[in-house]
Amino acid sequence: MATERESSPAANAAGSVSPRAIVEHMALINPVFQAMAMEIVDVSLGSATLAMRIRPDMGNTFGVCHGGITFALADMAFGFSSNTYNERSVTAGASIEYIAPARVGDRLLAEVRETHRGSRTGLYDVRVSVEGGDTVAIIRGRMRVVGGTILKPGA
C-alpha cells in the first residue's frame, strides 16, 4: 500500500533534480539565509538540517539569542525541506515552543522531520538545539504548495 507521500504528484515532481541541488540553489539566492550566515548541514527528500552561529547582534535585551532569530532558522529549515520535491511551497503557519536559551557564540542546529505530505499541504516538526547540547525550541510548521518548480530537471 502506497503512503500518501508516495502517491502524491509532488513525490514525482523533483524528477532528476536532487533535493540538495534544490536547497543549495535556494540558499544561494535567499538574502535572509545569507545575512544570517546559515549553513546547510544535511538534505534529503522532505528533510533538511541547517546550522547557524549566534552573533552578538542576534542577542536580545537579556544577552541570549533573540526568539525571532531562533524562529527564522527553524522557518528556513522547514521551508527548504518542503521544497525538496522541486515544487514551490511556502509557510502557511507555524508555532514555536521555547525550551531553553541559546547564548551568543553557540552554534544552533535546526533538524526537520516531515510528518505529513499531501498534494497541497504538509506538516514539519523542527527541533532547534545547541550543537552537542540542549534543545532550544520545538516548532511545528505547516506549508502550502503554490505550484511551479525551483529548478528545471537537468539544471
Side-chain angles (χ1 to χ4, degrees):
M1 173 184 245
T3 66
E4 183 172 8
R5 182 167 62 180
E6 290 168 344
S7 62
S8 164
N12 298 319
S16 63
V17 181
S18 76
R20 179 165 277 284
I22 292 163
V23 170
E24 286 176 352
H25 172 75
M26 291 177 71
L28 185 66
I29 62 173
N30 188 294
V32 173
F33 181 92
Q34 298 298 321
M36 294 178 70
M38 294 179 188
E39 310 163 40
I40 301 166
V41 175
D42 191 34
V43 178
S44 60
L45 197 60
S47 180
T49 300
L50 300 182
M52 178 186 72
R53 179 88 47 203
I54 302 169
R55 303 183 310 243
D57 64 330
M58 296 174 169
N60 68 12
T61 306
F62 305 111
V64 297
C65 182
H66 189 283
I69 300 297
T70 303
F71 186 86
L73 175 64
D75 182 53
M76 188 73 62
F78 107 74
F80 281 4
S81 296
S82 70
N83 279 281
T84 58
Y85 295 89
N86 201 25
E87 189 172 26
R88 289 181 49 224
S89 63
V90 297
T91 301
S95 64
I96 187 167
E97 299 294 332
Y98 296 99
I99 309 297
R103 310 244 181 261
V104 170
D106 285 346
R107 185 169 188 251
L108 294 182
L109 295 175
E111 301 170 283
V112 181
R113 183 174 60 92
E114 181 179 79
T115 59
H116 164 77
R117 175 84 182 196
S119 61
R120 303 303 287 165
T121 62
L123 294 175
Y124 295 80
D125 289 336
V126 186
R127 177 180 175 260
V128 177
S129 61
V130 173
E131 186 174 47
D134 294 334
T135 297
V136 172
I138 304 287
I139 297 88
R140 164 61 60 99
R142 180 172 46 89
M143 57 69 78
R144 174 84 174 145
V145 174
V146 295
T149 58
I150 292 101
L151 288 175
K152 293 183 181 187

PDB file of all heavy atoms in Angstrom, residues 25-45:
ATOM      1  N   HIS A  25      20.500  25.805  -4.297  1.00  0.00           N
ATOM      2  CA  HIS A  25      20.057  26.908  -5.161  1.00  0.00           C
ATOM      3  C   HIS A  25      19.249  27.921  -4.354  1.00  0.00           C
ATOM      4  O   HIS A  25      19.474  29.134  -4.468  1.00  0.00           O
ATOM      5  CB  HIS A  25      19.226  26.362  -6.327  1.00  0.00           C
ATOM      6  CG  HIS A  25      18.579  27.433  -7.138  1.00  0.00           C
ATOM      7  ND1 HIS A  25      19.285  28.212  -8.024  1.00  0.00           N
ATOM      8  CD2 HIS A  25      17.304  27.879  -7.163  1.00  0.00           C
ATOM      9  CE1 HIS A  25      18.456  29.094  -8.577  1.00  0.00           C
ATOM     10  NE2 HIS A  25      17.251  28.905  -8.073  1.00  0.00           N
ATOM     11  N   MET A  26      18.319  27.445  -3.547  1.00  0.00           N
ATOM     12  CA  MET A  26      17.505  28.353  -2.744  1.00  0.00           C
ATOM     13  C   MET A  26      18.372  29.159  -1.778  1.00  0.00           C
ATOM     14  O   MET A  26      18.178  30.361  -1.607  1.00  0.00           O
ATOM     15  CB  MET A  26      16.433  27.561  -1.988  1.00  0.00           C
ATOM     16  CG  MET A  26      15.374  26.975  -2.901  1.00  0.00           C
ATOM     17  SD  MET A  26      14.170  25.974  -2.015  1.00  0.00           S
ATOM     18  CE  MET A  26      13.291  27.259  -1.121  1.00  0.00           C
ATOM     19  N   ALA A  27      19.348  28.505  -1.157  1.00  0.00           N
ATOM     20  CA  ALA A  27      20.238  29.184  -0.209  1.00  0.00           C
ATOM     21  C   ALA A  27      21.054  30.266  -0.910  1.00  0.00           C
ATOM     22  O   ALA A  27      21.260  31.357  -0.365  1.00  0.00           O
ATOM     23  CB  ALA A  27      21.162  28.168   0.457  1.00  0.00           C
ATOM     24  N   LEU A  28      21.496  29.978  -2.112  1.00  0.00           N
ATOM     25  CA  LEU A  28      22.319  30.913  -2.866  1.00  0.00           C
ATOM     26  C   LEU A  28      21.592  32.217  -3.177  1.00  0.00           C
ATOM     27  O   LEU A  28      22.202  33.286  -3.208  1.00  0.00           O
ATOM     28  CB  LEU A  28      22.785  30.251  -4.177  1.00  0.00           C
ATOM     29  CG  LEU A  28      23.744  31.030  -5.045  1.00  0.00           C
ATOM     30  CD1 LEU A  28      25.081  31.202  -4.339  1.00  0.00           C
ATOM     31  CD2 LEU A  28      23.939  30.317  -6.372  1.00  0.00           C
ATOM     32  N   ILE A  29      20.277  32.146  -3.364  1.00  0.00           N
ATOM     33  CA  ILE A  29      19.518  33.347  -3.740  1.00  0.00           C
ATOM     34  C   ILE A  29      18.646  33.895  -2.611  1.00  0.00           C
ATOM     35  O   ILE A  29      17.905  34.850  -2.814  1.00  0.00           O
ATOM     36  CB  ILE A  29      18.653  33.077  -5.000  1.00  0.00           C
ATOM     37  CG1 ILE A  29      17.614  31.991  -4.744  1.00  0.00           C
ATOM     38  CG2 ILE A  29      19.544  32.736  -6.200  1.00  0.00           C
ATOM     39  CD1 ILE A  29      16.616  31.790  -5.866  1.00  0.00           C
ATOM     40  N   ASN A  30      18.770  33.319  -1.395  1.00  0.00           N
ATOM     41  CA  ASN A  30      17.938  33.764  -0.276  1.00  0.00           C
ATOM     42  C   ASN A  30      18.708  34.775   0.574  1.00  0.00           C
ATOM     43  O   ASN A  30      19.683  34.412   1.234  1.00  0.00           O
ATOM     44  CB  ASN A  30      17.511  32.569   0.575  1.00  0.00           C
ATOM     45  CG  ASN A  30      16.503  32.965   1.619  1.00  0.00           C
ATOM     46  OD1 ASN A  30      16.816  33.726   2.524  1.00  0.00           O
ATOM     47  ND2 ASN A  30      15.296  32.437   1.495  1.00  0.00           N
ATOM     48  N   PRO A  31      18.271  36.045   0.597  1.00  0.00           N
ATOM     49  CA  PRO A  31      19.021  37.065   1.341  1.00  0.00           C
ATOM     50  C   PRO A  31      19.032  36.846   2.850  1.00  0.00           C
ATOM     51  O   PRO A  31      20.012  37.186   3.523  1.00  0.00           O
ATOM     52  CB  PRO A  31      18.331  38.375   0.969  1.00  0.00           C
ATOM     53  CG  PRO A  31      17.011  37.999   0.397  1.00  0.00           C
ATOM     54  CD  PRO A  31      17.125  36.600  -0.116  1.00  0.00           C
ATOM     55  N   VAL A  32      17.996  36.271   3.430  1.00  0.00           N
ATOM     56  CA  VAL A  32      17.969  36.023   4.874  1.00  0.00           C
ATOM     57  C   VAL A  32      18.970  34.927   5.226  1.00  0.00           C
ATOM     58  O   VAL A  32      19.731  35.048   6.195  1.00  0.00           O
ATOM     59  CB  VAL A  32      16.544  35.668   5.362  1.00  0.00           C
ATOM     60  CG1 VAL A  32      16.546  35.248   6.818  1.00  0.00           C
ATOM     61  CG2 VAL A  32      15.613  36.846   5.133  1.00  0.00           C
ATOM     62  N   PHE A  33      18.999  33.863   4.460  1.00  0.00           N
ATOM     63  CA  PHE A  33      19.964  32.779   4.661  1.00  0.00           C
ATOM     64  C   PHE A  33      21.378  33.348   4.648  1.00  0.00           C
ATOM     65  O   PHE A  33      22.201  33.027   5.508  1.00  0.00           O
ATOM     66  CB  PHE A  33      19.791  31.721   3.561  1.00  0.00           C
ATOM     67  CG  PHE A  33      20.714  30.539   3.676  1.00  0.00           C
ATOM     68  CD1 PHE A  33      20.316  29.399   4.368  1.00  0.00           C
ATOM     69  CD2 PHE A  33      21.973  30.561   3.097  1.00  0.00           C
ATOM     70  CE1 PHE A  33      21.156  28.301   4.468  1.00  0.00           C
ATOM     71  CE2 PHE A  33      22.824  29.469   3.201  1.00  0.00           C
ATOM     72  CZ  PHE A  33      22.417  28.337   3.889  1.00  0.00           C
ATOM     73  N   GLN A  34      21.654  34.211   3.663  1.00  0.00           N
ATOM     74  CA  GLN A  34      22.985  34.810   3.529  1.00  0.00           C
ATOM     75  C   GLN A  34      23.290  35.759   4.690  1.00  0.00           C
ATOM     76  O   GLN A  34      24.364  35.689   5.286  1.00  0.00           O
ATOM     77  CB  GLN A  34      23.099  35.555   2.197  1.00  0.00           C
ATOM     78  CG  GLN A  34      22.931  34.685   0.970  1.00  0.00           C
ATOM     79  CD  GLN A  34      23.993  33.604   0.851  1.00  0.00           C
ATOM     80  OE1 GLN A  34      25.147  33.846   1.159  1.00  0.00           O
ATOM     81  NE2 GLN A  34      23.589  32.418   0.419  1.00  0.00           N
ATOM     82  N   ALA A  35      22.369  36.651   5.014  1.00  0.00           N
ATOM     83  CA  ALA A  35      22.608  37.661   6.054  1.00  0.00           C
ATOM     84  C   ALA A  35      22.828  37.041   7.426  1.00  0.00           C
ATOM     85  O   ALA A  35      23.607  37.561   8.229  1.00  0.00           O
ATOM     86  CB  ALA A  35      21.439  38.646   6.110  1.00  0.00           C
ATOM     87  N   MET A  36      22.159  35.926   7.682  1.00  0.00           N
ATOM     88  CA  MET A  36      22.285  35.282   8.988  1.00  0.00           C
ATOM     89  C   MET A  36      23.399  34.239   9.006  1.00  0.00           C
ATOM     90  O   MET A  36      23.616  33.587  10.022  1.00  0.00           O
ATOM     91  CB  MET A  36      20.940  34.680   9.403  1.00  0.00           C
ATOM     92  CG  MET A  36      19.886  35.762   9.637  1.00  0.00           C
ATOM     93  SD  MET A  36      18.259  35.133  10.081  1.00  0.00           S
ATOM     94  CE  MET A  36      18.574  34.506  11.717  1.00  0.00           C
ATOM     95  N   ALA A  37      24.115  34.103   7.887  1.00  0.00           N
ATOM     96  CA  ALA A  37      25.243  33.163   7.767  1.00  0.00           C
ATOM     97  C   ALA A  37      24.843  31.735   8.145  1.00  0.00           C
ATOM     98  O   ALA A  37      25.561  31.032   8.859  1.00  0.00           O
ATOM     99  CB  ALA A  37      26.431  33.640   8.590  1.00  0.00           C
ATOM    100  N   MET A  38      23.691  31.299   7.637  1.00  0.00           N
ATOM    101  CA  MET A  38      23.244  29.926   7.869  1.00  0.00           C
ATOM    102  C   MET A  38      24.072  28.984   7.011  1.00  0.00           C
ATOM    103  O   MET A  38      24.665  29.395   6.011  1.00  0.00           O
ATOM    104  CB  MET A  38      21.762  29.786   7.531  1.00  0.00           C
ATOM    105  CG  MET A  38      20.858  30.561   8.439  1.00  0.00           C
ATOM    106  SD  MET A  38      19.122  30.349   7.945  1.00  0.00           S
ATOM    107  CE  MET A  38      18.336  31.539   9.022  1.00  0.00           C
ATOM    108  N   GLU A  39      24.099  27.722   7.410  1.00  0.00           N
ATOM    109  CA  GLU A  39      24.833  26.689   6.683  1.00  0.00           C
ATOM    110  C   GLU A  39      23.923  25.490   6.436  1.00  0.00           C
ATOM    111  O   GLU A  39      23.105  25.156   7.287  1.00  0.00           O
ATOM    112  CB  GLU A  39      26.021  26.188   7.509  1.00  0.00           C
ATOM    113  CG  GLU A  39      26.929  27.235   8.071  1.00  0.00           C
ATOM    114  CD  GLU A  39      27.798  26.657   9.190  1.00  0.00           C
ATOM    115  OE1 GLU A  39      28.279  25.515   9.068  1.00  0.00           O
ATOM    116  OE2 GLU A  39      27.965  27.360  10.192  1.00  0.00           O
ATOM    117  N   ILE A  40      24.111  24.839   5.298  1.00  0.00           N
ATOM    118  CA  ILE A  40      23.410  23.589   5.009  1.00  0.00           C
ATOM    119  C   ILE A  40      24.262  22.456   5.571  1.00  0.00           C
ATOM    120  O   ILE A  40      25.426  22.309   5.200  1.00  0.00           O
ATOM    121  CB  ILE A  40      23.214  23.394   3.493  1.00  0.00           C
ATOM    122  CG1 ILE A  40      22.409  24.547   2.907  1.00  0.00           C
ATOM    123  CG2 ILE A  40      22.570  22.045   3.212  1.00  0.00           C
ATOM    124  CD1 ILE A  40      22.463  24.611   1.384  1.00  0.00           C
ATOM    125  N   VAL A  41      23.672  21.659   6.462  1.00  0.00           N
ATOM    126  CA  VAL A  41      24.381  20.530   7.056  1.00  0.00           C
ATOM    127  C   VAL A  41      24.009  19.245   6.345  1.00  0.00           C
ATOM    128  O   VAL A  41      24.863  18.444   5.984  1.00  0.00           O
ATOM    129  CB  VAL A  41      24.082  20.419   8.568  1.00  0.00           C
ATOM    130  CG1 VAL A  41      24.724  19.171   9.169  1.00  0.00           C
ATOM    131  CG2 VAL A  41      24.548  21.675   9.289  1.00  0.00           C
ATOM    132  N   ASP A  42      22.716  19.045   6.123  1.00  0.00           N
ATOM    133  CA  ASP A  42      22.236  17.802   5.517  1.00  0.00           C
ATOM    134  C   ASP A  42      20.914  18.073   4.809  1.00  0.00           C
ATOM    135  O   ASP A  42      20.144  18.938   5.245  1.00  0.00           O
ATOM    136  CB  ASP A  42      22.040  16.737   6.608  1.00  0.00           C
ATOM    137  CG  ASP A  42      21.801  15.354   6.038  1.00  0.00           C
ATOM    138  OD1 ASP A  42      22.375  15.022   4.979  1.00  0.00           O
ATOM    139  OD2 ASP A  42      21.031  14.582   6.661  1.00  0.00           O
ATOM    140  N   VAL A  43      20.671  17.326   3.735  1.00  0.00           N
ATOM    141  CA  VAL A  43      19.429  17.457   2.971  1.00  0.00           C
ATOM    142  C   VAL A  43      19.030  16.089   2.444  1.00  0.00           C
ATOM    143  O   VAL A  43      19.868  15.331   1.959  1.00  0.00           O
ATOM    144  CB  VAL A  43      19.595  18.412   1.757  1.00  0.00           C
ATOM    145  CG1 VAL A  43      18.301  18.497   0.952  1.00  0.00           C
ATOM    146  CG2 VAL A  43      20.065  19.777   2.182  1.00  0.00           C
ATOM    147  N   SER A  44      17.752  15.779   2.541  1.00  0.00           N
ATOM    148  CA  SER A  44      17.176  14.626   1.859  1.00  0.00           C
ATOM    149  C   SER A  44      15.737  14.992   1.530  1.00  0.00           C
ATOM    150  O   SER A  44      15.252  16.047   1.938  1.00  0.00           O
ATOM    151  CB  SER A  44      17.255  13.362   2.733  1.00  0.00           C
ATOM    152  OG  SER A  44      16.553  13.542   3.931  1.00  0.00           O
ATOM    153  N   LEU A  45      15.059  14.140   0.805  1.00  0.00           N
ATOM    154  CA  LEU A  45      13.690  14.429   0.396  1.00  0.00           C
ATOM    155  C   LEU A  45      12.811  14.646   1.627  1.00  0.00           C
ATOM    156  O   LEU A  45      12.708  13.777   2.493  1.00  0.00           O
ATOM    157  CB  LEU A  45      13.147  13.284  -0.458  1.00  0.00           C
ATOM    158  CG  LEU A  45      11.911  13.585  -1.288  1.00  0.00           C
ATOM    159  CD1 LEU A  45      12.170  14.712  -2.280  1.00  0.00           C
ATOM    160  CD2 LEU A  45      11.458  12.341  -2.023  1.00  0.00           C
TER     161      LEU A  45
END
